[in-house]
Amino acid sequence: MTAEDAAPTGRPVELKHNAIGFLDALVIGLNSTSPAYSLAAVIGPIVALVGIYAPGVMLASFVPMLLIASSFYYLNRVDQDCGTTFSWVTRAMGPWAGWLGGWAIAMTGVLVVGSLADVAVSFALLAFGLDSWVDNTFVRQLLTVVLIVVMTAVCVIGTELSAHVQNVLILAQVACLLVFVSVALYSAYNGTSKYDAVDPAFSWLNPFGAGGAALTGGLLLGVFAYWGWESAVNLTEEVKDSATAPGRAGLWSTVILLVSYVSVAFAVVAYAGPAFLADNADEEEFIFAQLATDVMGGWDWVLLLAVSTSAIASTQTTIIPASRTALSMARRGALPKHYAHISPRFRTPDVSTWWVAAIAIAWYLVVSQISSNALFDSLTALSLLIAFYYALTGVACVVYYRRHLLESVHNFLMIGVGPLVGAGLLTWLLVRSVMDMSDPENSYSGTSWFGLGPPLVIGIGIALTGVLAMIARRLWAPAYWQERPGVADPELVHGHGKGA
């Protein structure tokens, strides 16, 4: 630690402890999933696959998320490290697995930040009637880069400021979605919908109604919609009551998302009918723009603004897991030391945060030059990384607590069976993703890269790059790789506190 990294007391600079509370962490966890944007991106394709059973698929997708959220809760109880999966997997399964888990988290941020910012800009322009600006690639991309820079600056300036911004954005987002759901359901019931509306039924909650193959495809999309809630846990070192509050925030985020997603799915399917949504599934998130006009009339900007604020919020919060993971990896020597730099003024990981933003901007601009479909293909590749590090965390929970699983029925079910089942479901989805992505016809580009679908090539490329970077780091600075797996300390399991 250099002199400029030291606090006025002479001690090393640390992240700002007790900067935010449980509710702030909960809001950040919710906004990281970008609820309105996620719904806009997946609702059309899910209905195309399963029809009226879309609410059931959103319910089924919740199950592995809740089980993995339980893993995050219990692992955070014994190790409050902002690196989350990286730190926990390293402790439970060793440095090689831990490094790959950290790499996966960091790369998800790189892949998605540019796309989120692009959607935020596009929907904001649509909300203000600037449709021609959306079609102007230079203007849209320039505004996208500016937005990423601004949101990154907010992250660096301080966790409190980030929380305040997120509180405003989530209120605007939820209010807009509630208005949309209410009007859409009212129109469906009173027969004023311009489409073939259908009356909602409890049978729509049956995820198996459309058959196994359709359920698999829908679950892959549903997992993407729920992804991101763990950002609350990445702030564990900066949250009050760090041993339990971040984990509870993650758990409650998934529950609130379940209610939101199922409600919107009911409203959209009831108002537009499965035929219209299936026919327009390829339009992805912009189908929401059409529905906004149809449902809200002259107030369509309300829903457009909801998607925009959702993506703006997620642009900021998605940077948090990647930057905190890089910080944690650098502190232990898994990455170069400068990524562990913490701003003495703001007490945030400034270097790693700006690096995440810079790489994300470069990825966005380069991939966008190939085609807009290539950008969507890179987002599809996210499911591989998400399923991998979530499943890895579930397994790590079982392994790390292995000596305590038989101490009680609670431990056996909540720390053992639950995380293991969640990891198993996500591993199954990972395998299914690889199989589906191997076919170029299942990609947005519809072209073959090396005989495979572009999303799978992107996913493999990121994985291979990670392995090569890991090997290079192992040869250059081997200290981190001397760590040995351990087990949960009984005193920490039954109490609270940071792992040794």
Side-chain angles (χ1 to χ4, degrees):
M1 185 73 66
T2 59
E4 61 267 29
D5 296 332
T9 60
R11 294 192 300 270
V13 179
E14 297 181 342
L15 295 173
K16 189 173 184 179
H17 302 304
N18 301 321
I20 59 175
F22 167 77
L23 289 178
D24 293 320
L26 175 63
V27 167
I28 288 174
L30 287 172
N31 269 331
S32 292
T33 64
S34 190
Y37 164 69
S38 296
L39 283 166
V42 306
I43 195 66
I46 286 179
V47 174
L49 288 168
V50 300
I52 59 174
Y53 299 105
V57 167
M58 300 308 297
L59 176 61
S61 302
F62 162 77
V63 175
M65 290 298 98
L66 179 65
L67 296 176
I68 296 303
S70 176
S71 303
F72 272 75
Y73 173 78
Y74 285 105
L75 286 168
N76 183 71
R77 282 187 57 177
V78 294
D79 182 14
Q80 294 94 60
D81 190 299
C82 65
T84 59
T85 293
F86 160 74
S87 179
W88 302 332
V89 174
T90 297
R91 287 177 177 273
M93 302 167 67
W96 294 96
W99 201 99
L100 290 175
W103 174 261
I105 294 175
M107 287 302 101
T108 55
V110 168
L111 288 179
V112 80
V113 165
S115 177
L116 287 168
D118 186 286
V119 168
V121 167
S122 298
F123 273 81
L125 293 175
L126 290 173
F128 290 103
L130 300 173
D131 299 34
S132 61
W133 288 29
V134 178
D135 298 327
N136 188 316
T137 302
F138 174 79
V139 171
R140 191 184 72 253
Q141 292 185 353
L142 175 62
L143 292 175
T144 296
V145 171
V146 170
L147 178 60
I148 295 174
V149 171
V150 170
M151 290 295 100
T152 304
V154 171
C155 288
V156 170
I157 289 173
T159 306
E160 297 102 320
L161 177 60
S162 297
H164 294 329
V165 171
Q166 292 298 316
N167 289 339
V168 173
L169 292 175
I170 194 66
L171 287 174
Q173 186 179 162
V174 170
C176 293
L177 285 175
L178 284 175
V179 171
F180 172 77
V181 168
S182 300
V183 175
L185 287 175
Y186 177 78
S187 298
Y189 274 115
N190 70 7
T192 58
S193 171
K194 63 179 292 186
Y195 302 105
D196 295 327
V198 291
D199 291 335
F202 283 110
S203 61
W204 293 5
L205 291 172
N206 176 17
F208 302 101
L215 173 61
T216 301
L219 285 175
L220 292 173
L221 293 166
V223 166
F224 169 78
Y226 282 100
W227 167 68
W229 50 265
E230 75 274 13
S231 291
V233 191
N234 285 102
L235 292 170
T236 183
E237 296 179 38
E238 300 154 87
V239 178
K240 298 173 185 176
D241 189 16
S242 62
T244 59
R248 286 190 291 113
L251 285 166
W252 276 106
S253 293
T254 60
V255 174
I256 295 172
L257 287 169
L258 169 68
V259 176
S260 302
Y261 287 173
V262 171
S263 299
V264 173
F266 265 105
V268 168
V269 175
Y271 177 84
F276 170 79
L277 293 170
D279 292 342
N280 293 274
D282 292 339
E283 293 298 320
E284 287 261 312
E285 65 267 10
F286 287 101
I287 194 175
F288 247 36
Q290 176 63 46
L291 289 177
T293 301
D294 298 333
V295 174
M296 309 299 292
W299 292 82
D300 59 340
W301 59 269
V302 172
L303 185 59
L304 297 175
L305 193 62
V307 177
S308 180
T309 55
S310 174
I312 290 173
S314 194
T315 298
Q316 177 197 340
T317 53
T318 302
I319 296 171
I320 292 174
S323 63
R324 265 59 177 184
T325 298
L327 164 65
S328 179
M329 294 177 75
R331 285 191 307 204
R332 291 167 87 146
L335 285 179
K337 182 180 177 181
H338 64 273
Y339 289 109
H341 182 273
I342 295 176
S343 167
R345 178 181 179 185
F346 301 117
R347 295 175 67 182
T348 57
D350 52 351
V351 172
S352 62
T353 301
W354 283 113
W355 265 105
V356 168
I359 299 172
I361 289 172
W363 177 270
Y364 165 72
L365 293 176
V366 170
V367 176
S368 294
Q369 295 306 309
I370 299 174
S371 72
S372 59
N373 286 331
L375 186 62
F376 285 126
D377 282 333
S378 72
L379 289 181
T380 303
L382 272 177
S383 62
L384 299 175
L385 300 177
I386 296 168
F388 171 72
Y389 80 79
Y390 275 170
L392 197 61
T393 306
V395 173
C397 182
V398 177
V399 172
Y400 198 56
Y401 275 99
R402 62 185 180 275
R403 294 183 182 175
H404 306 279
L405 297 181
L406 300 181
E407 291 179 348
S408 66
V409 174
H410 173 274
N411 283 11
F412 181 72
L413 294 177
M414 301 302 296
I415 309 178
V417 175
L420 197 61
V421 171
L425 290 172
L426 288 164
T427 301
W428 170 64
L429 287 175
L430 175 61
V431 173
R432 289 294 310 179
S433 294
V434 171
M435 295 171 61
D436 292 341
M437 292 180 193
S438 64
D439 185 355
E441 293 298 321
N442 292 329
S443 68
Y444 289 96
S445 300
T447 58
S448 172
W449 290 6
F450 306 105
L452 300 171
L456 183 57
V457 174
I458 292 172
I460 293 174
I462 290 174
L464 289 177
T465 301
V467 171
L468 293 175
M470 178 176 62
I471 293 173
R473 186 63 186 170
R474 167 67 177 82
L475 296 174
W476 182 263
Y480 161 70
W481 276 267
Q482 306 309 312
E483 294 192 28
R484 293 292 178 265
V487 295
D489 187 325
E491 294 184 3
L492 295 174
V493 172
H494 302 295
H496 301 302
K498 188 174 177 64

